[in-house]
Amino acid sequence: MEPVIKINPGASKWDIRQKVWDYIEENNLANFPRPVHNRIPNFKGAFVACTKVSEMQVFTQTAEVKVDPDKPLEGARLAVLQARKTLLVPTPRLRTGLFNKITPPQGASKEQLRVCSSSQGVKDFSVPVSLDAKVKVDLVVVGSVAVSEKGFRIGKGEGFADMEYGMMACMGAVNESTVVVTVVHDCQIVDIPEELMGTHDLTVDYILTPTTVIKTNCQLPKPHGIIWTKLDTEKLEKIPILKKLRALEEQAGKDVTLGAAPAPADPDLQTGRPKRQTRQRPRQDTQQDAEGESRHEKRVEAKQRARQQQPARVRKESRGEGRGLNEGEISKTFKGRGRGSMREQGPEEGGREVTSQRKLPLSVTTVYLGGIPAGLRVSELKTALREREAAPLRLTWQGAQHRAFLDYSDPQAADQALEALQGLCLNGHDLQAELAKSQRGGKRSGQSSRRPRPSAAPKAKAEPLDTKSDTADKTEQ
């Protein structure tokens, strides 16, 4: 079939991803979650394409099927469960293991199987599979951002599908006869130059779309295991299961020499993305992150004092209590204003608070999130937080300084969020999550781990902005 997206000569993998993501968004070809950038797109017609899995002859001969946890592959997971085959799903970001076996309730109905195939079902009805388990995967179903008719595949850039296959190869769970299938929209089939493919890249044998099934007859071999020289000690720290696998390989006498850690570089150069122009800020905003955390806390208290001095009616309306604005009215309120009026600017930083409609407690625990890549939108970060069930009471966005501050109701909630945020990677960059400076282990004796609000203003509230509203999601330029 003739590709609808033309790839320019010399294009990088990132260029191809960007073209596909842009095309899908511009032509409204995706369902929730949106935008599709930095995701495996949940394209319209994904469920129809997934049903073709059960129609394949190879599917009837399989016993164990591994399907990635991406949203557009939900239909494939359901097809496996309905056929009463063993369904294996990779652990998100490989945090706790390689994959889980989905175990539906005994005699599960079709509706119960549908729940089991969802992301929530994968959490609720799964049993971890250990590295030494005897597993034989007959069919692998992966998502893609782009794929060629020759079987060359490009994912979202984090390398998990390639790594998972390499780990399965180390375990002996896959071999030459294992069939790899990808499910995509027709527009995601593009011409991918062979020179872009590395020895670690996973290729596919079949492509399923809402309209067709393509057998690729791919000539490139699939990964035979983990290529340790492409990993470093930092990666091993983030994915503990790699440590165990490396130890097993070392015991078997294999070469497990790691590669050198990449040198720090411009975030835009690391991903191959064009560098965005950022607005020049006052010199004091380029101070170290540790100082920024202290300024953040002082700024929050200053805002609270300033709001307390406002007339009661002004405070009430700013909280949305007096008028009860609905979402449409909120949009009208912001329409026509300059960009600056949409942002809560502190005296020094110009940070922006994006706050939910929930009432904030008298004290909160703040988590510092650093390493935010240039060009990331606050909406993308919020989506990632919701997906990891780490949504804060308040998010203070400082994208220009590559950081954000997340306020949680108490230390326990903050600890749960910290655990969920370990290994968070956006736009190909690993983010750093830790307690804010004033709440780390080195605090003075008797000092609370929560940041108290001024006692003179017990009723002061942060100005609410709907976390679902795109009004506050303007990108830092």
Side-chain angles (χ1 to χ4, degrees):
M1 60 187 296
E2 185 69 21
V4 296
I5 301 176
K6 303 300 180 183
I7 304 302
N8 298 325
S12 65
K13 284 185 178 180
W14 182 261
D15 295 331
I16 295 174
R17 291 186 188 104
Q18 198 66 44
K19 271 211 164 190
V20 173
W21 285 328
D22 289 346
Y23 184 90
I24 291 175
E25 279 295 331
E26 290 165 3
N27 293 274
N28 194 29
L29 298 177
N31 295 316
F32 175 84
R34 300 279 293 273
V36 298
H37 294 77
N38 308 305
R39 306 177 189 278
I40 300 297
N42 184 25
F43 59 91
K44 294 180 178 178
F47 194 84
V48 172
C50 285
T51 58
K52 299 181 187 294
V53 170
S54 57
E55 299 170 5
M56 301 175 65
Q57 183 178 356
V58 65
F59 183 80
T60 62
Q61 303 167 354
T62 62
E64 296 188 353
V65 184
K66 177 248 186 187
V67 185
D68 282 356
D70 305 300
K71 178 67 175 176
L73 301 182
E74 194 169 298
R77 295 193 292 273
L78 177 60
V80 175
L81 293 175
Q82 288 178 329
R84 307 300 175 181
K85 298 179 184 293
T86 299
L87 173 61
L88 302 174
V89 179
T91 304
R93 314 193 73 79
L94 302 177
R95 285 193 298 270
T96 57
L98 178 50
F99 39 55
N100 292 337
K101 177 183 176 181
I102 309 305
T103 55
Q106 187 71 26
S109 64
K110 184 175 181 179
E111 184 55 38
Q112 287 176 314
L113 292 179
R114 190 178 299 276
V115 172
C116 290
S117 66
S118 67
S119 58
Q120 188 60 45
V122 168
K123 295 178 182 177
D124 296 341
F125 298 95
S126 62
V127 177
V129 178
S130 64
L131 275 179
D132 53 3
K134 299 300 181 183
V135 177
K136 174 63 172 69
V137 179
D138 306 299
L139 179 66
V140 173
V141 183
V142 297
S144 301
V145 173
V147 65
S148 77
E149 289 189 341
K150 294 182 179 180
F152 307 155
R153 172 190 173 273
I154 294 178
K156 59 186 177 183
E158 297 181 347
F160 281 103
D162 307 322
M163 196 180 308
E164 289 159 7
Y165 194 90
M167 293 172 73
M168 288 191 294
C170 290
M171 293 171 58
V174 293
N175 55 30
E176 300 291 339
S177 64
T178 303
V179 176
V180 179
V181 174
T182 192
V183 183
V184 296
H185 191 276
D186 292 87
C187 75
Q188 292 174 258
I189 301 177
V190 300
D191 291 328
I192 300 175
E194 183 174 340
E195 55 265 26
L196 290 181
M197 304 303 292
T199 54
H200 64 286
D201 286 319
L202 179 63
T203 56
V204 302
D205 302 299
Y206 290 89
I207 303 170
L208 309 185
T209 79
T211 65
T212 188
V213 175
I214 299 174
K215 185 176 181 180
T216 67
N217 297 311
C218 185
Q219 300 301 307
L220 294 183
K222 297 179 178 63
H224 292 106
I226 294 292
I227 303 175
W228 296 105
T229 54
K230 291 187 176 292
L231 303 177
D232 54 49
T233 53
E234 184 179 354
K235 196 73 171 179
L236 259 62
E237 290 298 327
K238 292 176 180 175
I239 306 178
I241 191 174
L242 281 175
K243 282 186 177 180
K244 184 175 180 181
L245 185 59
R246 182 170 179 250
L248 293 174
E249 293 246 295
E250 191 171 21
Q251 290 175 8
K254 296 183 180 179
D255 184 4
V256 292
T257 304
L258 298 176
D266 188 314
D268 293 306
L269 296 179
Q270 291 177 354
T271 59
R273 287 174 289 175
K275 187 170 182 178
R276 294 194 178 198
Q277 292 294 325
T278 55
R279 187 171 51 142
Q280 292 296 320
R281 291 185 174 273
R283 189 173 183 84
Q284 61 265 29
D285 283 349
T286 60
Q287 296 179 22
Q288 295 181 353
D289 284 350
E291 298 175 4
E293 294 177 29
S294 299
R295 293 199 300 270
H296 163 71
E297 297 176 359
K298 293 177 181 178
R299 185 172 67 256
V300 171
E301 295 179 359
K303 285 182 184 178
Q304 292 168 347
R305 286 195 297 271
R307 288 181 54 76
Q308 183 65 16
Q309 295 170 3
Q310 291 178 339
R313 181 179 177 185
V314 174
R315 292 201 306 273
K316 187 175 182 181
E317 290 187 354
S318 71
R319 293 194 299 266
E321 298 175 2
R323 296 179 57 194
L325 291 179
N326 59 35
E327 188 171 345
E329 290 171 325
I330 291 175
S331 299
K332 292 177 183 177
T333 303
F334 282 100
K335 189 175 289 186
R337 296 187 183 181
R339 290 180 63 86
S341 63
M342 295 185 190
R343 302 173 53 222
E344 286 284 278
Q345 292 191 348
E348 298 177 58
E349 289 287 332
R352 184 173 66 229
E353 292 184 0
V354 182
T355 313
S356 71
Q357 302 252 1
R358 291 172 288 178
K359 292 183 178 180
L360 290 174
L362 293 179
S363 59
V364 294
T365 302
T366 302
V367 169
Y368 163 78
L369 196 61
I372 293 176
L376 184 76
R377 291 182 290 184
V378 65
S379 61
E380 295 171 331
L381 175 58
K382 290 192 298 181
T383 299
L385 294 174
R386 286 194 292 267
E387 289 176 347
R388 288 173 171 253
E389 299 181 357
L393 298 175
R394 174 173 54 204
L395 187 159
T396 301
W397 175 256
Q398 295 177 3
Q401 283 76 44
H402 309 293
R403 63 183 176 229
F405 296 87
L406 316 176
D407 289 341
Y408 295 91
S409 57
D410 52 48
Q412 182 179 3
D415 289 342
Q416 292 174 348
L418 281 171
E419 182 178 354
L421 294 175
Q422 295 307 305
L424 176 60
C425 181
L426 297 176
N427 288 9
H429 294 266
D430 294 316
L431 273 61
Q432 172 192 1
E434 57 188 30
L435 284 177
K437 183 181 178 184
S438 64
Q439 297 168 17
R440 297 174 196 160
K443 55 183 178 290
R444 294 186 300 272
S445 176
Q447 181 180 351
S448 171
S449 64
R450 295 181 288 180
R451 190 175 67 226
R453 295 185 168 222
S455 57
K459 296 183 180 180
K461 299 180 181 178
E463 190 165 331
L465 291 176
D466 188 352
T467 57
K468 296 182 180 178
S469 172
D470 287 334
T471 305
D473 293 349
K474 299 298 180 182
T475 307
E476 289 283 340
Q477 297 296 321

